[in-house]
Amino acid sequence: MLVAGYDGDRPSRDVADFTARCREHYPQMFGDIAEHGEMLGGVVTYHQADSRRRDFHKLDRLPAGLVAAGDAVASFNPVYGQGMTSATLHASCLSKYLRSGPKPHDGPAHAYFDQVRVVVDAAWQISTTADIELPHVDGPYPPGYKVTKWFGDLLFRASLTDPVLNARLGRVTTMLDHPAALSRPGTLFRALRLGLLGGSRR
Ligand SMILES: Cc1cc2nc3c(=O)[nH]c(=O)nc-3n(C[C@H](O)[C@H](O)[C@H](O)COP(=O)(O)OP(=O)(O)OC[C@H]3O[C@@H](n4cnc5c(N)ncnc54)[C@H](O)[C@@H]3O)c2cc1C
């Protein structure tokens, strides 16, 4: 099980602290497991100071025959569970790139990095939009942030009771769909109708 804290709130290696957080942060079952289950090892802590992306697609000069993938391209707040999906999608980009025809052995893999950029942008958008809302973060806020946040909150609230929106949001947060899918008219209007008028199906 994973517990997380931000800013000055640091989960420790102390088992009592871990158990208390499992109780506080999750449904009862998780607290029960942490309290009564057998610990297979000690509590391990991990500190991630930042989300980081390396924009290889912007480089004019690149070594030939060399690519980067996974966390070496972009690493995110682990709480959102995007890292392995991103790395897998980078592997798909590489597969597509390699299958797309013969490559000059002395040429940089610009086309590969152009595809990876789409994956990184999508994951980055989801992850940083959530992180920037944390109380101890004070920007910089991207252009249009207030509108995006307003709509995001509306969509999230509506998705708590509407199975259709819940499924669509879930497909984006698990990276099965691109975040742009949430701005399709059908989703926009459904979220507005349910979020503003309060109508929802269980
Ligand atoms: C606490 C935590 C929880 C996470 N939870 C999730 C989650 O729930 N879902 C999710 O999708 N992602 C999660 N992630 C992110 C995910 O683990 C990473 O995004 C993913 O493992 C990145 O894969 P990678 O292959 O790029 O790098 P890694 O998995 O880090 O693999 C790199 C490998 O290279 C090896 N290596 C390093 N240097 C050298 C060297 N010089 N020579 C040879 N080998 C070397 C390392 O030992 C390692 O085995 C989490 C991360 C953390 C820290």
Side-chain angles (χ1 to χ4, degrees):
M1 283 196 284
L2 184 144
V3 294
Y6 293 98
D7 200 18
D9 177 32
R10 300 277 172 91
S12 69
R13 291 197 177 94
D14 179 40
V15 175
D17 176 44
F18 175 74
T19 309
R21 286 171 184 269
C22 287
R23 248 227 194 282
E24 196 184 326
H25 297 183
Y26 295 111
Q28 186 186 346
M29 178 177 54
F30 292 88
D32 292 346
I33 293 170
E35 203 169 310
H36 304 300
E38 181 194 348
M39 293 283 284
L40 296 177
V43 177
V44 179
T45 56
Y46 180 84
H47 180 221
Q48 180 138 339
D50 51 26
S51 296
R52 186 173 296 206
R53 58 183 287 170
R54 298 185 176 89
D55 286 333
F56 288 97
H57 63 274
K58 287 186 180 165
L59 294 178
D60 296 329
R61 295 172 63 236
L62 268 171
L66 185 74
V67 296
D71 278 13
V73 177
S75 59
F76 310 94
N77 183 341
V79 164
Y80 306 120
Q82 297 172 307
M84 286 185 278
T85 315
S86 292
T88 310
L89 290 170
H90 296 172
S92 297
C93 293
L94 186 58
S95 166
K96 193 175 165 197
Y97 170 72
L98 293 174
R99 285 162 192 263
S100 65
K103 306 284 171 295
H105 67 277
D106 57 351
H110 286 302
Y112 162 73
F113 284 114
D114 286 344
Q115 290 177 36
V116 163
R117 177 196 182 170
V118 177
V119 177
V120 173
D121 280 348
W124 190 261
Q125 188 180 342
I126 300 165
S127 166
T128 57
T129 303
D131 273 350
I132 214 166
E133 287 189 31
L134 293 168
H136 66 284
V137 178
D138 57 4
Y141 298 98
Y145 170 72
K146 282 188 177 164
V147 178
T148 314
K149 176 171 164 39
W150 178 81
F151 178 69
D153 288 349
L154 191 81
L155 176 67
F156 186 75
R157 265 201 317 277
S159 78
L160 294 176
T161 50
D162 182 58
V164 174
L165 288 179
N166 191 283
R168 288 179 191 168
L169 188 60
R171 285 186 67 82
V172 169
T173 53
T174 53
M175 298 187 71
L176 287 166
D177 281 340
H178 192 274
L182 295 177
S183 49
R184 285 190 191 127
T187 302
L188 272 177
F189 288 122
R190 192 176 182 97
L192 286 172
R193 182 166 55 82
L194 298 179
L196 292 177
L197 304 179
S200 63
R201 292 187 292 140
R202 291 208 167 266

